[in-house]
Amino acid sequence: MSASNNTSASVSSFTLIGIPGLEEAHFWLPFLLCSLYLFAVLGNGTIIYIIQAEQSLHEPMYLFLGMLAAIDILISTSTMPRMMDLLWFNSTAIGFDACLLQMFCIHSLSAMESTILLAMAFDRYVAICCPLRHAAILTSPSIAKIGLAAVIRGAAVMAPLPIFIKRLPFCRSRVLSHSYCLHQDVMKLACADIKVNIIYGLIVIISVIGLDSLLISLSYVFILRAALSLSQEARLKALGTCISHVSAVFLFYVPFIGLSMVHRFGKTHGSNIHVVMANVHLLVPPVLNPIVYGVKTKQIRQRIARLFQRTTH
């Protein structure tokens, strides 16, 4: 009876940990995290500013890139400051509601980023396979609707998450194995049947990550088929516009899928693998995406160079 009464409503907090095996470096790691966070915010913020300021960049590919950059800033802000607080000041306790909020933000923003990556793949598909219809299909209103749909989809698929967590009783250890709150981590601390949470998690992964990655793969199959029918110069030019997006796709999906696999099938491995992969999944894409698009996209690179020239004169 006492176990059933010890529901999550009585749970005041969870305990976060740093990075196992690197306890001696916990003082120095926040300096690195702070640098990465500032770079992610400044890099993605610069991308957003350039796209907003340059009328010539108000095209579908760049508008979707601006949405991606905004999501990356939000993901970084939902994780990195809390990690720095944890490592620097040993602030291990996180309130139950704060944990739920961080969990919802991380998972919903990840779903939004997946949707935007799918939209960018669709943009490349239309631009290469149906170039004459590109402007008619991806108009400014349709791009705005896609962005709104990404937000609604991310929030909607994660709306049941707080409910499924609050229904669980927590009567075991409340020490999480990560530096922030994740659904698959929190639910394992419950002392009740978590089949509903497991099924819900699988449905979300299949319907969002699985479906989006499948559609992105299919879009590139059609893109490659269309590119092979072009001349060599036109083929290289067409595929060159996809390099940045393909890089962003790999940066997002490979760590995400790897982390999901380790959480479900890596029970015999140490927790260090979970922690490292979780940090890579959430910290690396926001930092590297601006570099990838800044280096590989000629228009962005030129605007960044022009911006630096203005600031130095």
Side-chain angles (χ1 to χ4, degrees), residues 55-71:
Q55 189 68 31
S56 61
L57 296 181
H58 291 185
E59 299 177 5
M61 180 173 70
Y62 302 111
L63 294 175
F64 286 135
L65 174 57
M67 296 178 192
L68 185 70
I71 293 172

Side-chain angles (χ1 to χ4, degrees), residues 79-102:
T79 54
M80 288 197 191
R82 187 63 184 84
M83 286 182 65
M84 288 185 282
D85 185 40
L86 166 66
L87 297 175
W88 244 330
F89 304 106
N90 197 31
S91 179
T92 58
I94 182 170
F96 180 78
D97 291 333
C99 185
L100 279 183
L101 178 61
Q102 185 183 53

Side-chain angles (χ1 to χ4, degrees), residues 124-294:
R124 290 300 83 207
Y125 164 76
V126 176
I128 295 173
C129 299
C130 311
L132 298 179
R133 301 178 58 194
H134 184 254
I137 295 175
L138 288 170
T139 61
S140 295
S142 65
I143 293 170
K145 290 177 182 178
I146 291 173
L148 180 61
V151 174
I152 293 174
R153 184 196 192 201
V157 296
M158 293 303 164
L161 182 61
I163 299 172
F164 288 144
I165 291 296
K166 284 187 174 182
R167 59 176 279 277
L168 295 174
F170 295 93
C171 50
R172 300 175 186 169
S173 169
R174 293 167 191 169
V175 179
L176 301 174
S177 62
H178 292 293
S179 306
Y180 36 78
C181 295
L182 296 175
H183 174 237
Q184 56 267 44
D185 196 17
V186 173
M187 71 177 183
K188 289 181 180 178
L189 299 181
C191 53
D193 189 1
I194 59 172
K195 285 182 180 179
V196 173
N197 294 69
I198 293 174
I199 293 172
Y200 164 71
L202 286 173
I203 290 174
V204 170
I205 289 177
I206 293 172
S207 62
V208 177
I209 303 301
L211 178 62
D212 291 356
S213 58
L214 175 62
L215 293 176
I216 290 172
S217 301
L218 288 175
S219 70
Y220 274 102
V221 170
F222 290 116
I223 287 172
L224 286 173
R225 284 179 54 187
L228 291 175
S229 64
L230 302 173
S231 65
Q232 184 175 1
E233 182 179 353
R235 183 189 311 144
L236 293 175
K237 183 178 179 180
L239 295 178
T241 64
C242 302
I243 293 176
S244 299
H245 178 253
V246 172
S247 301
V249 167
F250 274 97
L251 285 173
F252 177 79
Y253 285 105
V254 171
F256 189 101
I257 295 173
L259 177 63
S260 299
M261 296 290 287
V262 168
H263 266 290
R264 282 164 176 77
F265 307 111
K267 297 180 181 179
T268 59
H269 298 288
S271 62
N272 291 16
I273 299 177
H274 299 69
V275 176
V276 170
M277 294 193 72
N279 289 330
V280 168
H281 161 58
L282 290 178
L283 304 183
V284 171
V287 174
L288 292 187
N289 280 340
I291 298 176
V292 169
Y293 278 96

Side-chain angles (χ1 to χ4, degrees), residues 28-40 80-81 84 88:
W28 302 106
L29 279 175
F31 289 101
L32 174 61
L33 290 174
C34 184
S35 300
L36 291 175
Y37 177 61
L38 290 175
F39 186 89
M80 288 197 191
M84 288 185 282
W88 244 330

